[in-house]
Amino acid sequence: MNKTSNFEFDDLQGLLRFGHGKLTDTCFLLLNIADVDAAKQWLSAAPITDASTTDTLPDTALQIAFSVEGLRTLKLRESVIEGFSDEFIVGMTGDESRSRRLGDVDDNTPSKWEWGGSETAVPHVLLLLYARQGELDHWRTTVEGEHFAEAFHLLSQLPTQSINDIEPFGFVDGISQPTIDWMQKQSTDIHERDRYSNLLAPGEMVLGYPNEYGHYTPRPLIDPQEDRLAAELPDAEDEPRLKDLGRNGTYLVIRQLSQDVPGFWRFLDKEAASDADRREQIATAMVGRERNGTPLIAEHIPGIAAEDHGNNFTFDLDPKGNHCPIGAHIRRANPRTGDFPPGVTGLFSRLIKILGFAQAPEEDLIASSRFHRLLRRGRSYGSVLSPEDAVKPDAPAGDRGIQFICLVANISRQFEFVQNAWMVNSKFGGVQNERGPLVGHRKPLIDGQSTDHFNRPDAAGTMRTVCHLPQFVTVRGGGYFFMPGLRALKYIAATPTNGRDSAS
Ligand code: HEM
């Protein structure tokens, strides 16, 4: 194994370490298993890209992930499947309360999705192919090779298109990502981590390693005495007697999010009385960054824009959201708080906070960000439509959006928490009656109160409210998948198809 740190990078799928950004052409396939034996044969030889580095960047990449239905179809024993997290087993659309919490209501309701909308419609396999421009067809032919046509039934090929890191509303995307502490040097001790840090314990993203609580996230552990195939799996660090099917794997969350680009810019244009500068101001306030990616907080912290791609900042100097509104997309997605709110440095103040006294209203739900980070790996789709063209009455229609993908070790604490408590909640950080301006639905509360507002104080603190915000983003599909490490993939491919344990 290649060990530049403690990490077995050649057992990790590359997507955990690299975004494959230079591989502009992509093809995301949703597959069902048609023939289990043929599928296992294909899987055992599939050219999956690992995360070890070479001097030259690869020209192609292939990653794979399975839904729980896929693992069951491949005859992974139920006693092993039980080791995965509940939300993975139940699935994204498995119960109504989860759909409500994720904001999958009204136009986002799973029954209206194009794929993944019911338990039976969840694809077994998600195959992600990446290639340099013009090389995708050749790569796909190579990948499919023998057994593929017999093994899998293609449910659909998700639309993707390279539009140079610009998402369809026109903003640079993919700037802020957590940095994984591959060398495992940073302490997770609460007493040593009172400030926001972008560096995260590997166990937040990769299964089988300590997370930000210093604990191991639950995943299937197998006794090699009872299952001889498991002998090839990595050891479980926390239970050395057992083998770890999760280690070097992760959960992959995917949501196809359709964006109404003309609707977004036309609404803002009307709101700005067709003043292009004002239109741009409202849009940047909703995102929290300018279209070129500069954070709105930038002018208040000299030098940050040039450093770390404009990502080395917190909102500590802007507690009321006068520069970057509290409800802005990037502020909801990552409030950049440490374990203690700004200014809490003394031992006495910390004690008061730990005991829960003196909590200001704006601190509601803005929990310490380090437990709720996402490694985003999505791609956009649809033709480019500039804001200037989008406002024209004859702007071309067309389906545009994001294949939102994030990798997390804990679906409920990371993706579901961010989506529910931060993105679609109508109360966030002291603001009320508004949901995420980009991704929120606009359903009123049970008592009839509306949620279609967006509040943005100006620099002097005067509140400006945008009312009757339409829903700009609609969910078209989604699911929870397990992206195994390479040895785990070999194990999955080798499990016997007669459903019996492989005990010797
Ligand atoms: C169509 C829907 C979406 C659009 C157009 C969109 C767009 C953007 C843009 C322009 C940025 C700023 C650039 C960057 O830091 O990468 C951003 C950041 C981010 N978005 Fe989204 N996004 C969408 C959906 C989502 C969803 C559903 C989530 C999570 C549930 C999410 C989570 C994040 C996170 C975590 C960041 C980084 C925040 C930070 O650390 O500063 N986004 N998004």
Side-chain angles (χ1 to χ4, degrees):
M1 286 285 152
N2 167 11
K3 288 197 179 188
T4 45
S5 67
N6 222 2
F7 264 85
E8 304 139 324
F9 285 123
D10 52 0
D11 197 41
L12 248 72
Q13 293 203 39
L15 201 60
L16 263 165
R17 197 170 176 204
F18 311 113
H20 300 318
K22 296 275 182 295
L23 306 181
T24 52
D25 292 7
T26 48
C27 166
F28 294 172
L29 302 178
L30 301 175
L31 307 171
N32 264 1
I33 294 161
D35 180 308
V36 177
D37 289 319
K40 280 174 178 281
Q41 260 179 300
W42 184 84
L43 290 171
S44 62
I48 305 298
T49 308
D50 68 34
S52 46
T53 43
T54 51
D55 292 341
T56 49
L57 285 167
D59 290 335
T60 54
L62 174 69
Q63 318 287 194
I64 192 164
F66 302 90
S67 65
V68 72
E69 288 76 6
L71 295 176
R72 285 197 172 115
T73 306
L74 288 166
K75 309 290 183 205
L76 202 66
R77 280 176 292 129
E78 209 51 41
S79 58
V80 174
I81 286 180
E82 278 166 12
F84 287 106
S85 64
D86 286 352
E87 56 279 13
F88 172 70
I89 296 173
V90 173
M92 189 180 273
T93 57
D95 71 68
E96 235 177 86
S97 92
R98 168 162 285 110
S99 296
R100 194 174 19 81
R101 280 181 280 126
L102 295 180
D104 294 343
V105 296
D106 289 357
D107 286 349
N108 294 339
T109 303
S111 59
K112 297 185 181 169
W113 291 4
E114 288 165 14
W115 61 271
S118 73
E119 228 172 295
T120 47
V122 176
H124 294 161
V125 179
L126 172 66
L127 206 60
L128 309 170
L129 287 86
Y130 303 81
R132 285 191 191 275
Q133 204 179 6
E135 291 174 26
L136 193 62
D137 288 346
H138 183 247
W139 179 227
R140 187 167 170 180
T141 311
T142 312
V143 163
E144 294 190 356
E146 251 189 301
H147 303 297
F148 192 89
E150 191 192 344
F152 301 108
H153 165 61
L154 177 64
L155 293 175
S156 106
Q157 173 172 345
L158 298 180
T160 49
Q161 185 154 341
S162 159
I163 48 174
N164 300 328
D165 299 334
I166 311 276
E167 56 72 38
F169 290 142
F171 290 79
V172 174
D173 200 3
I175 299 172
S176 174
Q177 297 281 19
T179 307
I180 299 180
D181 182 16
W182 298 112
M183 305 302 283
Q184 293 178 272
K185 286 209 163 140
Q186 182 174 255
S187 163
T188 53
D189 187 333
I190 187 168
H191 301 290
E192 294 176 30
R193 288 281 301 281
D194 57 350
R195 302 264 160 248
Y196 171 75
S197 161
N198 201 42
L199 194 63
L200 279 193
E204 287 299 303
M205 305 300 166
V206 192
L207 293 166
Y209 297 85
N211 59 23
E212 280 292 330
Y213 289 98
H215 298 153
Y216 291 80
T217 310
R219 70 278 177 211
L221 302 181
I222 305 174
D223 187 342
Q225 304 287 337
E226 292 172 15
D227 179 352
R228 65 184 159 75
L229 278 179
E232 300 302 317
L233 290 172
D235 294 334
E237 267 181 17
D238 49 342
E239 296 256 13
R241 194 179 60 77
L242 301 176
K243 294 290 182 175
D244 192 341
L245 185 74
R247 190 172 164 95
N248 297 329
T250 187
Y251 291 111
L252 183 154
V253 175
I254 179 165
R255 306 218 340 138
Q256 182 170 337
L257 303 175
S258 165
Q259 295 174 240
D260 179 4
V261 178
F264 178 79
W265 286 108
R266 279 184 204 149
F267 173 81
L268 297 185
D269 195 57
K270 203 164 155 212
E271 193 64 30
S274 295
D275 176 327
D277 290 340
R278 276 185 59 206
R279 179 177 79 207
E280 194 76 20
Q281 270 170 20
I282 308 172
T284 55
M286 286 181 173
V287 173
R289 288 185 186 265
E290 291 173 21
R291 267 201 274 161
N292 66 11
T294 308
L296 294 189
I297 201 92
E299 58 187 277
H300 307 282
I301 308 177
I304 68 153
E307 196 188 321
D308 193 19
H309 305 294
N311 202 32
N312 187 12
F313 64 92
T314 68
F315 298 107
D316 291 3
L317 291 180
D318 186 25
K320 302 276 176 225
N322 293 0
H323 305 295
C324 177
I326 306 277
H329 179 73
I330 66 158
R331 210 161 165 168
R332 281 181 173 259
N334 179 11
R336 298 175 185 241
T337 50
D339 285 323
F340 295 96
V344 181
T345 46
L347 194 61
F348 183 63
S349 323
R350 286 174 177 213
L351 197 63
I352 286 180
K353 286 288 167 193
I354 287 170
L355 294 174
F357 299 122
Q359 191 167 4
E362 62 271 19
E363 285 166 24
D364 65 342
L365 285 176
I366 305 191
S368 179
S369 302
R370 66 181 169 134
F371 303 116
H372 311 288
R373 300 296 309 276
L374 317 174
L375 194 60
R376 290 174 299 142
R377 292 292 189 237
R379 294 275 171 136
S380 311
Y381 66 89
S383 55
V384 180
L385 184 62
S386 70
E388 294 69 27
D389 286 339
V391 292
K392 293 180 184 159
D394 58 349
D399 196 13
R400 303 176 177 87
I402 292 185
Q403 302 294 354
F404 174 85
I405 291 181
C406 68
L407 306 180
V408 291
N410 188 323
I411 297 174
S412 76
R413 173 163 62 78
Q414 293 168 279
F415 167 70
E416 291 190 343
F417 181 92
V418 173
Q419 175 71 20
N420 166 36
W422 289 351
M423 289 296 191
V424 299
N425 202 317
S426 66
K427 293 192 178 65
F428 172 81
V431 295
Q432 301 203 8
N433 297 88
E434 60 175 78
R435 305 185 196 271
L438 298 190
V439 300
H441 62 81
R442 311 295 176 215
K443 196 174 170 175
L445 301 177
I446 288 176
D447 64 6
Q449 285 187 60
S450 60
T451 62
D452 57 355
H453 300 159
F454 175 67
N455 287 300
R456 48 174 196 121
D458 63 19
T462 314
M463 189 62 77
R464 288 160 194 270
T465 304
V466 180
C467 299
H468 309 302
L469 215 62
Q471 178 172 332
F472 301 119
V473 168
T474 308
V475 188
R476 296 262 192 252
Y480 293 151
F481 290 81
F482 169 58
M483 178 178 265
L486 271 75
R487 281 181 281 174
L489 177 63
K490 291 260 179 282
Y491 173 88
I492 293 166
T495 47
T497 49
N498 60 12
R500 282 203 299 273
D501 285 4
S502 53
S504 47

